[in-house]
């Protein structure tokens, strides 16, 4: 506990009044200066600013210039407080540049080291990009100062300035590299003329300068892939001249080493061809003498994409040793890394099970929680009972943060061991009765919901636990979530009346939000296709009672519910429809509609332009997002159906980008039909990397070329792509717009566009285009990226791979509810059918994925997951040009040696569309 004196001082700070403090600031103008009183007052001012108190510009300016008078005092503690106050007030005061001369004076040779370091920090907070060249030589010299405190202050300040003055800071690369190499800290005289010995300073042994220099050097070179690769090569620290021929320069700072590991991983992500060398480098760093470096290297290796169990062995072995470390932080970091790895590679973590068993009883409950949840992921079904029993023992002793981790682990186990559903439900229902915050209770509820959805045998038991929970739930959002789930699943159970009683209790006892949700749930029971007449009558009686509710939202929902329970058509449209909008796309389009002043004059918002997805796809998307958040950057798999949700969101982003280009904005009068996945037109290691994205409008086709220049010594200007059709398209497609990239520096991607007008709406060609990249090349300085003066450049071109347009590009992949009814309504007259022998496919799974790509249609549930290797049926839906509905049914059989035989039948609202869709396979 704090001594009484410290408690009194803390209370005085907490009860500060802004007006009182500003009045006390008159002490700064007194002569002589009173250092102690001034320090206390400055502390109060800084505390007010940190607490979020606002000051007017006039007040801040007057206070700022009053504080500057304290520079006359030689008290070192007061001067440090002055620097802090100046930095905080500089962002809200005017004419702060006037204090520059005082700060520059403190940077002079005869000043104290403490003055000089703090003066650099304050000065860099005050100056802007236009003033930076005036103090550039001082900062460059400070970066290579022998004093670590001065060098570190200059490096950190430069990193803050980099965002506003990139070109100026980039010129300091040589000085930063010298500071990183450590030469300036051990030899040579100071630029300012004073040595460390003459100052009688205490020289830091933390090597923090290397850490700051590493961060700044990467910020300067991050867009130059070769420069970053050279940085990793130089400081890889291998005994034989460094990695891949580097100089083998050493890093004395462990934190700088951690940064280097992260940069090395980014190099591998940018250039997969270096993966083998990188693995060897990470394995060497795992054996580093510092725990910090070894842990970072192990964590990096565990998070690599497509890493194999064999490659993970060195990392797992190192982490296993750290589990027995006497240091709690090291032990915690190791078990947390293994916990994340167990989500994707549980078999690789199994050798650590014995060590993790010993951590279950660790005094640090954070370590124990990670240990037991990791064991749950790596263990077998026989060990689940014992682990769950141990987990129940310390749930009351851990914080909500770790309770959430436990709930998520149990949720994952529900799918892994469905036979243990009774054990899991008992555990989850028990924790719901315990004390806990919203996030923890929400995680437990979602785990029960997940279990009820995927294990039908326990659905009624799970619903009973949820009914019990809402009887005494203190969180409105959770009550609404449970009521929604009861409305979805309750009508399909054997005794729906059991749940109706619990739902109606919410109407009587809860607040308006929960009552409205309960009315919606009752409506779903009354509108269910399996509800008998007696149940419907009972539900209508309850809904009529809700018409007298004191809240208008509840009354409105009750009236709506009564209406749909009596109208079959309304029931099918609003309750039984299993489709929903792609919410990300809907949100983006609504924002664009509201932001356009002329949109209202053009008519109401067109909901038909928003693609629809099934609720199963939406649920899969949410589950994948949850998994990605849990993995915190680890690779996460997802079903192909989930990918369609991402495609819709990406398409909405493309539409916004295209509408922002003046030459293409006119196309936006018609909805964007489809945007295809990016296709590489060059290899990843070539001088110029180009990817193509096709966008199809009703009347136009736009080719988007994302171009990256990888040559540091060149700047490209007037970059465009010339497209020549390999077939005759005269009268069908007419080039109308070419949008070039004005300038393309190394590592800075640019986008060029080529647009064609679809002049014949009755013809949809399948054509290939030969593509050539054309540009003007100018030599440049690699350090600045600026072209040399007087260099007019020369024209050059680069051949790209061909790109194609096919029938599938004109199809909008849209989920259509009740595809069977639509198929029957279209009839055999609108059907096109064809049989194909596809000998080049080795499995039905591979064939199905390719068919989806060629058709450009939305696969319905189960289409992409064949249950048999010998035969499969799949259904796809879509809208041709976003208008005409189409349904495709494919039947496939596979025989080894003969490949896949597929019969595909397509029915559409337009006969010609079916024929075009079938031709996409041919």
């Amino acid at each position: 506990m704090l001594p009484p004196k410290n408690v009194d001082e803390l209370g005085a700070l907490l009860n500060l009044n802004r007006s009182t403090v500003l009045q006390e600031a008159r002490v700064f103008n007194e002569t002589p200066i009173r250092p102690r009183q001034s320090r206390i007052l400055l502390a109060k001012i800084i505390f007010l600013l940190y607490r979020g108190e606002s000051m007017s510009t006039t007040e801040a300016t007057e206070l700022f210039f009053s504080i500057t008078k304290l520079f006359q005092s030689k008290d070192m503690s007061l001067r440090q407080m002055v620097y802090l106050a100046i930095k905080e007030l500089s962002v809200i005061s005017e004419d702060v540049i006037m204090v520059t001369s005082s700060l520059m004076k403190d940077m002079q040779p005869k000043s104290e080291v403490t003055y000089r370091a703090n003066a650099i920090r304050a000065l860099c907070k005050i100056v802007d990009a236009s003033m930076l060249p005036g103090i550039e030589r001082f900062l460059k010299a400070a970066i290579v100062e022998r004093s670590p405190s001065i060098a570190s202050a200059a490096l950190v300040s430069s990193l803050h300035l980099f965002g506003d003055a990139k070109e100026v800071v980039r010129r300091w690369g040589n000085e930063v590299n010298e500071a990183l190499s450590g030469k300036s800290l051990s030899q040579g005289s100071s630029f300012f003329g004073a040595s460390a010995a003459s100052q009688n300073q205490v020289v830091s042994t933390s090597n923090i300068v290397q850490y700051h220099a590493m961060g700044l050097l990467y910020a300067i070179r991050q867009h130059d892939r070769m420069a970053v690769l050279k940085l990793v090569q130089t400081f890889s620290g291998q005994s034989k001249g460094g990695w891949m021929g580097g100089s083998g320069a050493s890093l004395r700072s462990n934190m700088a080493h951690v940064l280097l590991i992260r940069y090395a991983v980014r190099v591998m992500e940018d250039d997969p061809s270096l993966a083998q060398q990188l693995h060897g480098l990470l394995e060497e760093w795992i054996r580093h003498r510092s725990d910090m470096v070894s842990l970072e290297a192990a964590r990096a290796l565990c998070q690599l994409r497509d890493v194999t169990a064999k490659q993970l062995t060195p990392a797992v072995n190192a982490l296993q040793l750290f589990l027995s470390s006497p240091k709690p932080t090291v032990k915690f970091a190791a078990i947390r890394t293994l916990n994340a790895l167990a989500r994707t590679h549980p078999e690789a973590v199994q050798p650590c099970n014995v060590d993790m068993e010993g951590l279950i009883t660790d005094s640090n409950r954070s370590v124990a929680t990670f240990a037991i949840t990791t064991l749950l992921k790596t263990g077998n079904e026989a060990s689940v009972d014992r682990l769950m029993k141990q987990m129940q023992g310390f749930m009351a002793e851990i914080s909500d943060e770790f309770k959430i981790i436990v709930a998520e682990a149990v949720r994952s186990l529900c799918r892994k061991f469905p036979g243990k559903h009774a054990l899991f439900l008992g555990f989850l229902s028990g924790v719901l009765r315990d004390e806990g915050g919203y996030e923890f209770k929400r995680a437990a509820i979602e785990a029960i919901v997940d279990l009820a959805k995927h294990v039908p045998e326990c659905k009624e038991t799970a619903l009973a636990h949820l009914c019990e929970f809402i009887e005494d739930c203190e969180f409105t959002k959770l009550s609404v979530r449970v009521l929604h789930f009861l409305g979805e699943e309750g009508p399909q159970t054997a005794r729906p009346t059991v749940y109706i009683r619990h739902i109606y209790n919410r109407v009587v006892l809860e607040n308006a939000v929960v009552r409205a949700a309960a009315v919606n749930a009752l409506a779903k029971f009354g509108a269910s296709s399996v509800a008998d007449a007696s149940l419907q009558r009972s539900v209508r009686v309850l809904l009529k009672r809700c018409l007298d509710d004191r809240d208008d939202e509840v009354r409105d929902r009750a009236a709506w519910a009564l209406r749909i329970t009596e109208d079959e058509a309304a029931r099918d449209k609003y309750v039984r429809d299993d489709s929903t909008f792609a919410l990300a796309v809907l949100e983006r389009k609504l924002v664009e509609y509201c932001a356009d002043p002329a949109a209202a004059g053009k008519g109401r918002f067109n909901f038909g332009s928003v693609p629809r997805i099934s609720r199963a796809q939406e649920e899969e998307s949410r589950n994948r997002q949850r998994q990605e958040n849990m993995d915190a950057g680890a690779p996460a798999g997802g079903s192909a159906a989930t990918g369609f949700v991402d495609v819709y969101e990406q398409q909405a982003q493309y539409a916004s980008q295209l509408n922002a280009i003046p030459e293409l904005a006119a196309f936006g009068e018609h909805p964007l039909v489809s945007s295809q996945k990016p296709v590489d037109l060059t290899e990843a290691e070539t001088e110029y990397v180009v990817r193509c994205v096709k966008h199809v409008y009703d009347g136009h086709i736009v080719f988007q070329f994302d171009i990256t220049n990888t040559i540091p010594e060149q700047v490209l200007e007037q970059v465009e792509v010339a497209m020549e059709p390999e077939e005759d398209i005269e009268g069908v497609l007419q080039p109308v717009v070419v949008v070039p990239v004005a300038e393309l520096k190394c590592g800075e991607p640019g986008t060029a566009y080529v647009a064609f007008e679809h002049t014949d709406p009755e013809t949809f060609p399948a054509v290939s285009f030969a593509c050539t990249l054309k540009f003007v090349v100018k030599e440049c300085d690699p350090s600045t990226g600026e072209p040399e003066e007087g260099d007019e450049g020369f024209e050059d071109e680069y051949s790209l791979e061909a790109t194609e347009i096919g029938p599938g590009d004109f199809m909008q992949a849209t989920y259509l509810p009740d595809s069977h009814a639509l198929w029957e309504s279209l009839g055999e007259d609108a059907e096109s059918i064809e049989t194909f022998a596809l000998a080049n496919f080795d499995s039905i799974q591979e064939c199905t994925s390719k068919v989806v790509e060629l058709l450009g249609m939305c696969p319905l549930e189960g289409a992409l997951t064949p249950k048999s290797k010998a035969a499969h049926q799949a259904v796809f839906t879509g809208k041709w040009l976003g208008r005409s509905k189409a349904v495709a049914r494919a039947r496939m059989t596979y025989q080894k040696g003969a490949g896949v035989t597929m019969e595909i039948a397509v029915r559409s609202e337009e006969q010609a569309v079916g024929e075009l869709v079938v031709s996409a396979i041919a």
Side-chain angles (χ1 to χ4, degrees), residues 761-805:
E762 303 298 326
T763 305
F764 299 91
V767 59
S768 296
F769 292 88
C771 301
T772 305
L773 188 67
K774 296 186 175 182
F775 46 85
V776 175
V777 181
K778 290 187 178 181
E779 301 295 328
C780 73
D781 181 357
S783 62
T784 63
E786 296 297 329
E788 298 177 0
E789 293 185 9
D791 184 6
E792 296 182 358
F794 60 91
E795 294 185 358
D796 199 359
E797 59 182 42
Y798 189 83
S799 296
L800 308 174
E801 293 184 11
T803 186
E804 300 176 343
I805 279 286

Side-chain angles (χ1 to χ4, degrees), residues 454-474:
H454 296 95
V455 185
E457 299 84 15
C458 71
K459 179 183 290 187
E460 294 196 13
T461 307
L463 293 179
H465 286 308
L466 293 177
C467 288
E468 180 186 348
F469 171 71
I470 60 173
E471 290 292 338
D472 190 27
C473 177
E474 58 184 311

Side-chain angles (χ1 to χ4, degrees), residues 199 273 290 368 417 541:
Q199 298 279 345
S273 63
S290 167
F417 304 121
V541 169

Side-chain angles (χ1 to χ4, degrees), residues 53-73:
E53 291 280 351
S54 59
M55 291 187 185
S56 68
T57 303
T58 304
E59 290 174 338
T61 303
E62 291 177 356
L63 188 59
F64 182 88
F65 284 103
S66 296
I67 292 172
T68 58
K69 296 177 182 178
L70 300 178
F71 275 105
Q72 300 172 24
S73 173

Side-chain angles (χ1 to χ4, degrees), residues 14 27 30 78 80 124 197 263 562 587 598 623 692 705 853:
L14 293 175
V27 74
E30 294 181 2
L78 176 59
Q80 288 179 299
C124 291
Y263 301 155
L562 284 169
E587 179 186 16
N623 288 339
C692 177
F705 297 95
E853 180 183 339

Side-chain angles (χ1 to χ4, degrees), residues 481-499:
R481 174 70 177 103
V482 171
L483 288 168
H484 172 76
F485 185 66
L486 290 174
E488 292 288 329
E489 302 294 336
Q492 314 300 323
T493 59
R495 296 186 300 162
T497 52
V498 173
Y499 311 109

